[in-house]
Amino acid sequence: MPQQRPALESTLMQIWQRRCLTAWILWPLSLLFRLVVALRKTLFTLGILKSTRLSVPVIIVGNIFVGGTGKTPFVIWLVDALRKAGFNPGVISRGHGGNNTHPTPVNAEAKPEKVGDEPLLIYQRTKCPLYVGRNRVATSQALLAAHPDVDVIISDDGLQHYALRRDIEIILCDNRGNGNGLMLPAGPLREPADRRRDFTIINSPTTFHPAKNTYAMHLVGERAEHIADRSQSIALNALGSFAPETSPGKLKIAAAAGIGNPQRFFSLLQSAGLQFSEIPLPDHFDYKTNPFLNIDAEIILITEKDAVKCSFFDSFQSRQLWVVPVDAQIDAALIGQIVEQLHAD
């Protein structure tokens, strides 16, 4: 059942948010993991493990906290901001959920099971040159060979892939912060909390604390679009006043999210004044089974990431399904600092 995995993930997050008995039991393993991570990074620093510098600057957008922190909307924002600053960016990604083994271009004909849901969403929103592949160096080189006009590479994730040298590192986090501050498996961190970075983006303005090179990101979603006809839309704050066609009374709404942190999507909808039943799904849920068959609701709101996959199945072209697109809002001073650093390099 799709609900089982979110329940397991929720349990792990509860453990990782505090230094409970389970976390302390796992602490020796986290020390071993930390040692392995440090050793690997040192081998790259000393040149024992090979790293490659590209002919154009590389910006890494990643996180040290396992799971989703909002990288996809940030990458979409960054592509647009760099274009306005006069750059021609390209994007590379691992393509999580896809089955590609070699560098593969993402285009209008691409399927999510081949290239992954997040890269396809980024392409749909930006139409920028985008390649996916396991080997990030080879993937970048393939993109540059196909698009020689690209003058900066954005790597969607890949913070720990040191084989690709980088000029700027941007780390995202959300209201969960660093959890209990411990590394896997005792905590949620892939690397130490004090790991160096050029910029920190906090996807939770309500818990934002100003610090050097730290910026708040606010995800804004104001409308829902019908999955079968995205030009048909309605303001989120108007949904609550709609009367159902089938029965008197209040409109029954459900919300589903197959993202790293479903609660972030639910909170966005709640901030619009909506009341709904929550359907948390596993991150990158493939929709090969229909989780909505027994849902009693006139409208089911889903994320754009979920819509990327649902749109390929006729069974999901239901009048019930509405997509909620979101846009990242970030202080414009950030792109100024990024551009300054790119020119300096």
Side-chain angles (χ1 to χ4, degrees):
M1 294 292 293
Q3 298 283 1
Q4 293 175 338
R5 186 173 157 191
L8 175 60
E9 292 173 350
S10 176
T11 300
L12 284 174
M13 287 301 170
Q14 289 178 17
I15 293 173
W16 288 342
Q17 285 299 117
R18 63 191 192 282
R19 298 195 177 188
C20 60
L21 177 61
T22 303
W24 286 120
I25 291 174
L26 295 172
W27 180 60
L29 292 177
S30 74
L31 293 179
L32 178 60
F33 181 72
R34 183 177 185 134
L35 178 62
V36 171
V37 168
L39 175 61
R40 180 174 173 273
K41 190 172 184 178
T42 300
L43 292 176
F44 275 108
T45 301
L46 296 176
I48 297 173
L49 293 179
K50 181 184 177 183
S51 61
T52 300
R53 178 169 292 281
L54 301 179
S55 58
V56 301
V58 173
I59 301 174
I60 301 286
V61 177
N63 52 279
I64 59 174
F65 194 105
V66 297
T69 54
K71 292 189 302 296
T72 299
F74 178 80
V75 168
I76 293 170
W77 175 89
L78 183 58
V79 168
D80 182 60
L82 285 172
R83 281 174 168 167
K84 290 177 180 176
F87 288 86
N88 185 27
V91 176
I92 64 166
S93 174
R94 168 65 179 82
H96 186 88
N99 59 9
N100 54 285
T101 56
H102 303 288
T104 303
V106 179
N107 50 42
E109 288 73 42
K111 301 292 191 295
E113 63 268 21
K114 178 66 176 178
V115 302
D117 48 17
E118 292 165 337
L120 189 52
L121 174 56
I122 293 171
Y123 176 79
Q124 290 175 351
R125 289 287 300 268
T126 67
K127 298 299 189 293
C128 77
L130 200 160
Y131 268 61
V132 296
R134 293 180 181 176
N135 185 319
R136 294 179 186 273
V137 173
T139 301
S140 299
Q141 292 170 336
L143 186 153
L144 292 172
H147 301 275
D149 55 333
V150 166
D151 52 15
V152 58
I153 292 286
I154 302 170
S155 178
D156 175 26
D157 212 352
L159 196 64
Q160 291 81 33
H161 293 262
Y162 294 108
L164 177 62
R165 293 192 186 181
R166 63 286 310 268
D167 299 88
I168 296 176
E169 291 182 327
I170 302 175
I171 293 181
L172 273 78
C173 58
D174 57 19
N175 61 309
R176 296 170 295 181
N178 294 316
N180 60 16
L182 301 176
M183 292 182 63
L184 293 167
L189 302 185
R190 299 169 178 169
E191 294 186 272
D194 60 356
R195 180 204 193 282
R196 77 155 301 279
R197 78 286 303 271
D198 294 284
F199 302 100
T200 300
I201 309 300
I202 301 179
N203 183 14
S204 178
T206 56
T207 58
F208 177 67
H209 300 288
K212 183 179 180 181
N213 294 334
T214 299
Y215 291 85
M217 179 171 78
H218 182 45
L219 297 181
V220 178
E222 299 179 340
R223 69 189 187 281
E225 301 171 351
H226 193 268
I227 191 169
D229 179 8
R230 297 289 292 269
S231 66
Q232 182 182 349
S233 67
I234 181 173
L236 287 180
N237 57 16
L239 273 177
S241 61
F242 263 44
E245 298 177 5
T246 55
S247 61
K250 199 167 187 178
L251 183 72
K252 293 181 181 178
I253 302 175
I259 59 178
N261 184 4
Q263 188 56 49
R264 188 164 56 239
F265 180 63
F266 301 149
S267 296
L268 183 148
L269 300 180
Q270 289 165 353
S271 68
L274 298 181
Q275 295 181 355
F276 52 89
S277 56
E278 298 178 0
I279 310 173
L281 298 169
D283 195 12
H284 304 286
F285 185 67
D286 60 17
Y287 285 93
K288 291 180 180 177
T289 58
N290 190 336
F292 308 134
L293 290 177
N294 299 313
I295 300 300
D296 181 23
E298 282 89 21
I299 285 183
I300 301 175
L301 301 173
I302 62 175
T303 72
E304 282 188 291
K305 180 173 166 179
D306 295 294
V308 162
K309 290 160 288 192
C310 290
S311 61
F312 284 90
F313 297 97
D314 291 339
S315 58
F316 289 103
Q317 305 309 299
S318 164
R319 63 195 305 271
Q320 286 178 292
L321 287 187
W322 291 72
V323 186
V324 180
V326 298
D327 295 297
Q329 291 186 346
I330 306 170
D331 189 337
L334 171 61
I335 194 62
Q337 284 194 274
I338 292 174
V339 168
E340 182 179 346
Q341 194 162 329
L342 287 174
H343 287 315
D345 293 337

